[in-house]
Amino acid sequence: MGIAKGTILSAARPESIRLAAEIIRAGGLVAFPTETVYGLGCDALNPEAVARVFEAKQRPRFDPLIVHIADRAALDALVSHMSLSDHILMDAFWPGPLTLVLPKRPVVPDLVTAGLPTVAVRMPAHPVAQALIREAGVAIAAPSANPFGYVSPTCAQHVLDGLGDRVDLILDGGSCPLGVESTIMSTVGAMPEVLRPGSLLLSDIEAIIGPVICRLRSEQTPLAPGQLARHYATRTPLAILPTRGVHRPPVGERAGLLAMSSPVELGGYAAIEVLSPSGNLREVAQHLFAALRLLDGLSLDRLYAEPCDEQGLGLAIMDRLRRCATPRGPGMREMLSPTAALVGQGLGESVGLITDGRFSGGTYGMVVGHVAPEAAVGGTIALVDEGDSVTMDAEQRLLQLNLPDEEIARRRAAWQSPAPRYTRGVLAKYAKQVSSASTGAVTD
């Protein structure tokens, strides 16, 4: 059956599951529901298919994926060994919203694990996810089915809105019942550690295996998904209020309020989304991402979010809100000038800024597309700046510079060449070239 990319099919129909499984086995991408959020799935052991996931999401390659399985027998092919704590956690919480970070076998592509010696594995409880994995007969690598850094999708329409025809098929299984991603645990260190809080409560884990470390930190090189400082983020700036029910936005500001429970009479907001009339944290988590998306689509000046107690599920809710509220890094569009250049070391690696002939030495984002030496004066610049995807149009940049026709043609040709790798010394040489308006490529 031939279907257009981005087609939504009901997951209740067996033929939809069969078609989705065929697409997975053929190296394609399928978005599917889990009990937490919708995932963008591919054959976990097919490197080309995994690369398509990164491309579709514009996801930097330093951020590892979660591999989804339907039964514990599948672990034999993926994992070299497991601890007693791992077995106890699986007995208690699988299938369910728990991801375990385990030592991997060589067969798992490095792209899946971001080059780490471990792989994150989960057994989802959602019947559609289970049916798809079993029908496909392969483990499925699946991050959330949305552009990298944006709010996670909890229904099929969210996936279509964000990814469109970059996904081969979307299985519609309705709204996700939990609404917040899985809890990620690692037992490979001296003490079991929560790497990302999620739908499975810390108290439930500790009731089974005893005390665990829970450091809600941001990582430049994540050990698990969801550890970047800015993530799950709206395009509209968001601020977390110090308390509930007392804030009014500044006069003249078109603001939206994300309320944890039915608010007292608050004036001045252009829109208010109540996550749970009674303040039930299960309901808050279930509606969190959908409400953020709704407010983000209203072209408001700012969003305000009420806080909740960081107990139980509140730990994961506040983690998501804090990462959403983290300010963007330096704006790439504002930083670029005729004497500025973005230079990178290859797909998924650090990008630095050269401006006025001097290498900044700082890291401003991650390369998710081609970055040529001529980036200062043309070329397509695609990067992630603290979770914010930014693309600069090559033609527009060239027109701004009023270059001769032959120079425009030369630079267009250069953009099609593979991006060279740079060392710090080469960057310094290139900085001098930028300063003197030289356009020659320097490589080592």
Side-chain angles (χ1 to χ4, degrees), residues 254-258 268-273 294-295 298 300 303-304:
R254 295 188 68 252
L257 175 66
L258 193 70
Y269 285 99
I272 297 177
E273 281 295 305
L294 192 152
L295 290 173
L298 298 180
L300 301 173
L303 306 181
Y304 294 94

Side-chain angles (χ1 to χ4, degrees), residues 69-75 94 123 130 133-134:
I69 60 175
D71 54 59
R72 285 166 70 166
L75 289 169
W94 275 12
M123 187 190 298
Q130 281 273 333
I133 298 167
R134 293 182 188 281

